[in-house]
Amino acid sequence: MDFAEVIGQHEMIERLRGLADENRLPHAMMLCGPDGCGKMALAISLAKYILNKGSYQVKGISHPDLHFTFPTIKLSKWNSEYKPISDDFIEQWNEMLAEGPYFSLAQWMEAMKAERQQAVITVGEANELIKRLMMKSNQGGWKISIIWLPERMNIECANKMLKLIEEPPTQTLFILVCREPENLLETIRSRVQRFDVKPIALEDIQQALIQKRGLEQQDAERVARLCNGNWLTALEELNAANENQTFFQSFVDLMRRAYLKDVKDLKRWSENSSAMGREEQKRMLTYFLRMTREAFMYNFRQPELNYMTDNEEQFCKKFARFVNEGNVLGFQELYQTAIRDIGQNANAKMVFFDITMKVAVLLHTT
């Protein structure tokens, strides 16, 4: 992966390359942006660009002075005192990166074969990274630490990382790749230079779909418009069996049962939803948020405001009138609160049954 392989992001590429050429890169930087915008692609490309200035050329993603830190889970075979580190899952990580630098937390969880655990970066990883970075550079140049999803650091880890960033070893560059910077310690945010990566331009998505995936112009335009600057969404749309189809059916089932106020069916729906893994539950609720927005905007009868598949649009033709000014904020608050509660390990059965009851009320609110 180098800058030529990054999809779009031309301005950011020129900015990062220019800072590197002029030796003006901050020792700690954070690339922030939504899923699918290419944050990790930019981070890896920048790291390789810097390291390739030395005598040892980077092949693939392998280099003795390039270190990756990422969220992990705790396996049942480990004792209660063990703190997982990235190296415990380095084989799965390398396999995923070999497929390309565009991936989601959901894909990483699947690669680790996580079930209901939540992935975090532990203090064990912080201790391991400190030891590695305190050593002399293998090639006598830069040591680069790419930290994917630093907002997943637990508090003990974050405090150690803060000290490391405040007092970095010589010629060490930290590249934080962050999706939710508001969840990162404010003291860390204040000590890194932030670079906001925008969603990929529609034209760049179109060209990538044509060149990399062989789509015809018309199909590429439709998918590019639908994915809203997210390359991962574009790839999902090319997969007929993508997760969103399951979420769409679950959304439709909930709305129909809630409209009929069928408590027995709603209880069954909530039990099925609570049986999912927590990360999948949060992704489904995020999808529900999007569908609520799409249904509300559909009422304005301005097609350019909507980003839906054919199935979603067909459903919204009849459903949209039930999402109005009187309840749209209630729906959004309901799903956002549920996402937060699930993330804080609340009882999933209670969370989803509460959703069913409140949806039943909101659907009849005007």
Side-chain angles (χ1 to χ4, degrees), residues 81-95:
E81 300 301 317
Y82 183 70
K83 310 294 184 186
I85 62 175
S86 296
D87 268 4
D88 293 323
F89 296 90
I90 197 63
E91 183 178 345
Q92 296 93 321
W93 177 260
N94 287 339
E95 287 177 359

Side-chain angles (χ1 to χ4, degrees), residues 61-76:
I61 55 169
S62 177
H63 190 285
D65 294 320
L66 176 59
H67 308 284
F68 288 99
T69 289
F70 42 83
T72 59
I73 59 172
K74 190 165 186 175
L75 300 180
S76 58

